[in-house]
Amino acid sequence: MKVLISGASGLLGGKLRKLLIDRGDEVFSLSRSEPATSNDIQWDPYKGFSSAEAEKLFGFDAVVHLAGENVAGGSWTEERKKKISDSRVLGTRTLVDALSNCKEPPAVFVCASAVGFYGDRGNEILTEESEPGNGFLPEVCVEWEEEAAKAKAFATRVVTPRIGIVLSTEGGALEKMLLPFKLGVGGAVGSGEQWMSWIAIDDMVRILEFALDTDELRDAFNAVAPNPVKNSEFSSALASELSRPSFFSVPAFGVKLLFGEMGETLLLEGCRVIPRKLEQMGFKFDFPTLPEALKHVLQD
């Protein structure tokens, strides 16, 4: 296939790019910088494409849209929240508008979403049929998915994976957790009862490949492992894999004091998400349980 990826310089996009190239696909990258190679296409997520760059969008079989501001990149000031929202909602709108004007638009549009769609839901088991939650992240995800769905006007398939916590030592939540746990001062956050819906990075890349290749997969689906865990279980499993104790805990008031709304949402809240669609379609997880996922990721 001829595939275009936004966010190809990120952790997930970079691994997907390598996988697709290794299997023989022709892969192009969207970039905000000046094109470094003939396989780079320059864009501005808010202003769009120059006419010369827009012409390069013709003839792709598939587009995978992963770009977006890091939600954990800083305190959630109003300005920061606007960047998080605009990078996803307006960025997706810009890309879909440009693709809709192509003489040969892609047949498949895969646009990332997140389990943040569900909000803080306690012990409720959440499937693709569950309603969105309340709050900033659910609102962003709903608008994000609505913009992606507009690609149905030209694409045969539109797919929106609701991605969970991606486990990797090269970025994301796990990378940030490693140092305190290696020092023996890691532990549960708050009550430790909040659910964590996670996915090993290698399984996540394979899920994106599955989304590209599987004609029956459409609309939103949960891109998480089949065995979510509570924060206290995650902490114990990580400490065990690192052969360290897990006696310490971070009090909720400390999280709120240090990180404000961002910390409360990302660290103290949680959702128990199940990948029902993927399982019904026969997707096989290489790392379905947390201990085997951590063992694999930490040995990589």
Side-chain angles (χ1 to χ4, degrees):
M1 290 197 298
K2 184 180 178 184
V3 184
L4 176 64
I5 303 175
S6 80
S9 61
L11 176 64
L12 190 53
K15 288 191 177 291
L16 176 64
R17 183 176 181 276
K18 183 180 185 307
L19 180 150
L20 295 179
I21 289 172
D22 286 349
R23 75 176 200 173
D25 292 331
E26 187 180 9
V27 181
F28 289 71
S29 304
L30 275 183
S31 172
R32 299 186 67 168
S33 307
E34 287 286 334
T37 73
S38 58
N39 281 25
D40 291 337
I41 299 174
Q42 187 176 23
W43 78 315
D44 184 311
Y46 309 108
K47 297 178 182 177
F49 298 79
S50 68
S51 56
E53 295 299 291
E55 286 183 10
K56 298 178 184 178
L57 296 175
F58 299 172
F60 282 98
D61 298 300
V63 173
V64 183
H65 181 36
L66 302 174
E69 191 79 15
N70 182 3
V71 295
S75 297
W76 282 2
T77 61
E78 288 307 308
E79 180 183 3
R80 178 78 185 156
K81 287 164 76 173
K82 188 174 188 304
K83 282 184 178 180
I84 290 169
S85 178
D86 286 353
S87 68
R88 287 161 174 76
V89 178
L90 299 185
T92 302
R93 184 182 302 166
T94 297
L95 181 55
V96 169
D97 284 348
L99 293 172
S100 70
N101 291 321
C102 288
K103 296 171 187 173
E104 302 172 56
V108 181
F109 183 63
V110 179
C111 179
S113 183
V115 294
F117 175 92
Y118 299 107
D120 185 26
R121 302 290 275 272
N123 290 323
E124 181 183 356
I125 295 175
L126 302 161
T127 71
E128 290 83 359
E129 303 303 315
S130 302
E131 294 295 315
N134 299 309
F136 171 62
L137 286 185
E139 288 171 6
V140 170
C141 289
V142 167
E143 290 187 57
W144 193 8
E145 291 184 14
E146 286 174 351
E147 292 299 330
K150 293 176 183 177
K152 291 179 182 179
F154 60 80
T156 308
R157 284 197 303 123
V158 175
V159 193
T160 48
R162 291 173 181 158
I163 301 173
I165 300 166
V166 178
L167 301 186
S168 170
T169 57
E170 299 173 49
L174 180 61
E175 182 194 37
K176 292 181 174 67
M177 296 171 72
L178 282 177
L179 181 58
F181 272 85
K182 284 179 177 179
L183 293 174
V185 293
V189 179
S191 69
E193 290 297 298
Q194 64 275 32
W195 285 90
M196 298 176 67
S197 297
W198 58 272
I199 182 75
I201 180 111
D202 289 347
D203 273 342
M204 188 60 238
V205 174
R206 289 179 51 245
I207 287 170
L208 291 174
E209 179 187 29
F210 186 78
L212 285 171
D213 295 345
T214 307
D215 290 341
E216 297 79 18
L217 185 57
R218 296 165 185 264
D219 303 317
F221 72 94
N222 294 331
V224 294
N227 295 289
V229 297
K230 291 184 177 182
N231 176 265
S232 57
E233 296 173 72
F234 188 98
S235 300
S236 294
L238 179 56
S240 175
E241 186 58 39
L242 293 170
S243 301
R244 295 290 189 276
S246 181
F247 302 133
F248 292 88
S249 63
V250 182
F253 76 86
V255 171
K256 294 175 185 177
L257 186 65
L258 287 172
F259 303 111
E261 183 184 359
M262 179 194 73
E264 187 168 358
T265 301
L266 300 183
L267 299 176
L268 300 178
E269 297 179 357
C271 52
R272 188 180 184 181
V273 182
I274 303 298
R276 181 168 291 173
K277 263 193 185 182
L278 284 176
E279 291 184 314
Q280 288 173 342
M281 297 190 134
F283 181 83
K284 300 298 182 187
F285 292 86
D286 286 338
F287 310 101
T289 67
L290 184 63
E292 57 192 326
L294 288 174
K295 185 176 184 66
H296 169 72
V297 168
L298 294 172
Q299 284 180 349
D300 247 11

